[in-house]
């Protein structure tokens, strides 16, 4: 039997806040124009290859203003001015994604329905209705098409 892995405790290296490479802001004091990666995503923007311009300090470090924050819960702040619009996928990329999702959502059993959610194909091999007769809600699937099986 293999020996269990030892969990290494992450050592926090203390650094004075004035020696930090990037400016740090507490959660309530972030200047306008700086946002996190998730906020960029909500704005349909991406960093565009630019590095972060500041650090959003974690809640624990807000009580210790003299130390720089290097905890895993910190967040990087990006400038909205340097951000670029997200790339839109090509029709070929969308078609490839739709084929991949069709393989995960289509029942290989006798019904052949394409559901709006992924099926448990590894464990059951089919949809629940084909597996044990549990009736599916008619609004959760589309009927198989004669020509093609893609939803788009």
């Amino acid at each position: 039997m293999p020996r269990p892995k030892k969990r290494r405790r992450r050592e926090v290296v203390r650094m004075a806040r004035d020696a930090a490479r990037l400016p740090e802001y507490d959660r309530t004091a972030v200047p306008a124009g700086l946002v996190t990666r998730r906020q960029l995503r909500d704005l349909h923007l991406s960093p565009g290859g630019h590095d972060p311009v500041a650090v959003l300090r974690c809640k624990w470090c807000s009580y210790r203003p003299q130390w720089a924050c290097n905890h895993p819960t910190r967040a990087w702040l990006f400038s909205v001015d340097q951000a670029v619009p997200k790339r839109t996928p090509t029709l070929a990329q969308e078609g490839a994604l739709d084929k991949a999702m069709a393989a995960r959502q289509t029942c290989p059993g006798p019904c052949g329905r394409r559901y709006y959610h992924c099926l448990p194909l590894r464990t059951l091999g089919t949809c629940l209705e084909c597996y044990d007769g549990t009736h599916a809600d008619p609004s959760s699937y589309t009927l198989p098409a004669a020509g093609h099986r893609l939803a788009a």
Side-chain angles (χ1 to χ4, degrees):
M1 184 167 162
R3 205 168 75 184
K5 284 186 176 181
K6 278 188 175 180
R7 296 187 82 188
R8 285 189 180 186
R9 188 169 192 175
R10 188 178 177 286
E11 295 182 23
V12 177
V13 179
R14 294 280 182 199
M15 183 188 326
R17 190 170 181 182
D18 56 356
R21 295 185 187 125
L22 294 174
E24 296 185 354
Y25 298 103
D26 290 327
R27 295 181 184 270
T28 58
V30 177
L34 296 182
V35 293
T36 62
R37 188 179 294 269
R38 287 188 182 192
Q39 291 169 336
L40 276 178
R41 184 183 64 204
D42 292 341
L43 295 171
H44 301 289
L45 298 172
S46 69
H50 294 288
D51 292 330
V53 295
V55 175
L56 181 64
R57 294 166 56 90
C58 67
K59 186 177 180 181
W60 189 79
C61 286
S62 65
Y63 297 110
R64 289 148 184 89
Q66 71 275 16
W67 297 111
C69 180
N70 58 357
H71 292 100
T73 55
R74 70 172 180 237
W76 303 108
L77 294 173
F78 297 90
S79 175
V80 177
D81 300 334
Q82 296 175 346
V84 295
K86 282 179 130 180
R87 293 184 304 161
T88 56
T90 63
L91 288 176
Q93 289 173 333
E94 285 184 1
L97 287 174
D98 194 42
K99 284 182 184 178
M101 288 306 294
R104 296 177 67 193
Q105 295 172 340
T106 304
C107 177
C111 70
R113 298 175 183 154
R114 181 169 178 182
Y115 288 83
Y116 296 118
H117 57 85
C118 293
L119 297 175
L121 297 177
R122 275 192 187 165
T123 56
L124 302 181
T126 61
C127 65
L128 281 175
E129 190 161 351
C130 294
Y131 181 72
D132 63 0
T134 304
H135 293 289
D137 183 23
S139 65
S140 67
Y141 61 84
T142 60
L143 294 175
H148 63 84
R149 300 177 77 166
L150 298 178

